[in-house]
Amino acid sequence: MPTSQFQHLKMTDSEIFEAILKEEKRQSDELELIASENYVSPAVLEAMGTILTNKYSEGYPGKRYYAGQENIDTVENIAIDRVKKLFNCEHANIQALSGSPANAAVYMAFLKPGDRVLGLSLDHGGHLSHGHPVNFSGMLYQFVRYGVEANGYIDMDKVREIAIKERPKMIVAGFSAYSRNMDWKRFKEIADEIGAFTFADIAHIAGLIAGGQLDSPVPFFDVISTTTHKTLRGPRGAIIMCKNKYAKNIDKAIFPGMQGGPHDHINAAKAVAFKEALQPEFKTYAAQIIKNAKILASELINFGFKIVSDGTDNHLMLVDMSSKGRSGKEAEIALEKAGISCNKNMVPFDTRSPMDPSGIRLGTPAVTTRGMKETEIKLIAGWIRDAVEHADDLSKLQSIKNEVKTLCVSFPIPGL
Ligand code: DSN
């Protein structure tokens, strides 16, 4: 429902109402190229805003610590069944509150503090929760790292060399800024050579896997986590999937290990999103995300931008702004002034800092949800070029912003 129709909020809390209204307008009038963001359907939004938020339901369906769970159990069982169908996994826990807590639960289920884990470096596209020293994962566990090569690809022979030398107890495969296919089978073969557990964090690409466009780690890996709000297009949250033999460990790690009461309103919205992702249209959506990303990458390359690994197999790309004499931060700011959101990002082997890196990360899940295709993506690529090349020209940025708004009005976000 459009925010303007929220009669109660408008009456009781005009400050918050106004802020939400303005954010709705910002999202409507501007282009979202942050690779991890998306727009949920009105049905997902409705489920999130329900009285299920009033309930406490520690435990799992049929085994709760509080009374009054018959409807909550129905919701959770439906959500679990849908995840199993969507990803063809043996066991699913849908209670994780978000990606990092899900990953914390995975580590808790499989490791002891101090155990050695192999993961992709954050500055080569990994994630904070894959062992960065400022994150709980890097503080509690002894992470060793693999990275990408100069060509921007992970070299699986190098991963094997590091794994054999370091003998980690777990290998983590997953990323927040890597644009190439993951060789899940090879990761598993390497892990088997050294007796390590395999953990895939598919937060970024879960929707592309569910939509049948990318290979799945589920047949090979011991445990898989994903957030539900990126390409999967659900509410903010996460799930964990694993082989049946690890089900108890994962469930115990989530509750009582990590979390208290699950967020039942969010779990209902997850179930709604999983149903949407099971529809044939979702496959078309996932395929279009990748088509759009490939078009965006090739247009930008034609305009003289350097893209890490020279292209993409998924929904995202890293653009090295030094190819245009800009920093990532300068590009992010110029694009924001032009009505285009993205995030500054380190590129592999970056000599700059995380707060002022060389690159930006771009992704197509959100613009694809709006229905944008090749024609619109080409326009967007042109605006990116113009904004970056005229980053100091405020009137140019404003004129791009006006054009962005005109395009956005023709491709409204769902439910508005
Ligand atoms: N913040 C997410 C992203 O943008 O990739 C990862 O946690």
Side-chain angles (χ1 to χ4, degrees):
M1 187 199 299
T3 310
S4 56
Q5 292 173 25
F6 289 180
Q7 293 311 319
H8 299 283
L9 192 58
K10 188 176 181 179
M11 298 256 295
T12 59
D13 195 334
S14 59
E15 288 164 288
I16 294 297
F17 174 78
E18 289 298 330
I20 297 173
L21 197 63
K22 281 187 187 155
E23 174 60 11
E24 183 182 276
K25 187 160 170 47
R26 188 193 71 79
Q27 290 190 15
S28 293
D29 291 353
E30 298 185 10
L31 284 168
E32 189 53 74
L33 292 181
I34 292 176
S36 48
E37 295 190 13
N38 212 331
Y39 308 107
V40 295
S41 70
V44 168
L45 262 189
E46 280 179 5
M48 287 165 72
T50 57
I51 41 74
L52 297 193
T53 193
N54 297 340
K55 195 73 196 99
Y56 254 126
S57 51
E58 283 95 331
Y60 291 99
K63 285 171 282 176
R64 306 277 189 187
Y65 285 81
Y66 293 54
Q69 306 291 350
E70 59 183 288
N71 306 308
I72 300 302
D73 280 4
T74 302
V75 166
E76 187 160 344
N77 280 326
I78 290 173
I80 290 168
D81 284 349
R82 289 178 183 169
V83 174
K84 286 186 180 173
K85 247 191 227 154
L86 199 52
F87 291 99
N88 205 15
C89 61
E90 291 179 14
H91 177 74
N93 182 309
I94 59 107
Q95 292 191 5
L97 301 180
S98 207
S100 283
N103 291 354
V106 169
Y107 300 140
M108 187 185 275
F110 285 84
L111 306 170
K112 296 207 167 29
D115 276 348
R116 188 171 292 184
V117 187
L118 177 60
L120 179 63
S121 301
L122 178 64
D123 54 357
H124 282 215
H127 187 256
L128 275 171
S129 66
H130 300 177
H132 196 279
V134 300
N135 183 264
F136 76 90
S137 53
M139 294 173 194
L140 287 179
Y141 307 100
Q142 192 200 335
F143 268 81
V144 286
R145 296 166 213 296
Y146 59 94
V148 299
E149 301 304 303
N151 63 8
Y153 285 75
I154 295 168
D155 176 341
M156 293 306 294
D157 291 334
K158 290 267 174 68
V159 174
R160 179 172 178 269
E161 263 171 44
I162 299 168
I164 286 171
K165 179 163 165 265
E166 301 288 353
R167 306 202 78 81
K169 192 164 172 193
M170 169 183 273
I171 297 182
V172 185
F175 55 81
S176 63
Y178 181 68
S179 61
R180 294 300 177 179
N181 279 330
M182 298 294 275
D183 190 344
W184 306 115
K185 188 162 174 278
R186 187 80 200 282
F187 270 110
K188 171 68 175 153
E189 286 164 4
I190 293 168
D192 283 348
E193 270 191 77
I194 56 165
F197 293 116
T198 42
F199 167 30
D201 177 345
I202 58 168
H204 264 264
I205 50 174
L208 306 177
I209 292 170
Q213 305 303 313
L214 291 182
D215 294 338
S216 171
V218 170
F220 308 108
F221 272 50
D222 295 313
V223 59
I224 297 107
S225 73
T226 178
T227 49
T228 44
H229 48 272
K230 298 186 175 86
T231 46
L232 205 45
R233 215 163 55 178
R236 304 197 79 77
I239 55 174
I240 303 174
M241 298 169 268
C242 63
K243 304 281 184 215
N244 272 334
K245 61 182 169 182
Y246 303 120
K248 272 202 179 122
N249 305 37
I250 286 294
D251 287 352
K252 271 165 62 183
I254 284 283
F255 175 82
M258 277 287 304
Q259 298 183 177
H263 293 182
D264 295 312
H265 57 310
I266 297 298
N267 293 343
K270 287 176 187 171
V272 175
F274 302 148
K275 183 171 182 180
E276 290 173 0
L278 282 163
Q279 306 311 308
E281 307 85 85
F282 196 82
K283 283 197 167 46
T284 315
Y285 167 63
Q288 190 65 46
I289 293 176
I290 299 178
K291 266 189 219 160
N292 284 349
K294 284 181 187 290
I295 295 164
L296 183 59
S298 85
E299 287 292 290
L300 292 175
I301 289 168
N302 289 341
F303 292 149
F305 287 89
K306 163 74 186 147
I307 306 275
V308 172
S309 87
D310 300 318
T312 182
D313 296 326
N314 56 32
H315 62 301
L316 70 80
M317 67 211 68
L318 282 175
V319 191
D320 186 342
M321 283 296 155
S322 62
S323 54
K324 289 284 175 183
R326 302 271 179 211
S327 70
K329 189 172 165 184
E330 286 168 338
E332 181 194 282
I333 291 170
L335 287 166
E336 187 171 19
K337 287 181 181 154
I340 300 172
S341 291
C342 70
N343 65 285
K344 56 186 171 297
N345 213 102
M346 299 280 272
V347 297
F349 314 103
D350 211 327
T351 50
R352 303 177 69 95
S353 68
M355 281 310 285
D356 189 14
S358 295
I360 59 169
R361 186 185 62 166
L362 301 176
T364 52
V367 291
T368 308
T369 293
R370 293 180 92 136
M372 294 184 187
K373 294 194 173 139
E374 181 165 2
T375 310
E376 295 75 37
I377 298 297
K378 286 185 169 171
L379 278 175
I380 294 170
W383 290 328
I384 292 171
R385 174 200 56 197
D386 292 348
V388 170
E389 288 181 357
H390 302 276
D392 306 315
D393 181 345
L394 284 184
S395 72
K396 177 72 182 167
L397 298 178
Q398 183 58 49
S399 93
I400 298 170
K401 192 172 183 173
N402 296 342
E403 291 184 72
V404 164
K405 185 173 172 183
T406 306
L407 178 72
C408 286
V409 169
S410 311
F411 291 87
I413 63 180
L416 294 178

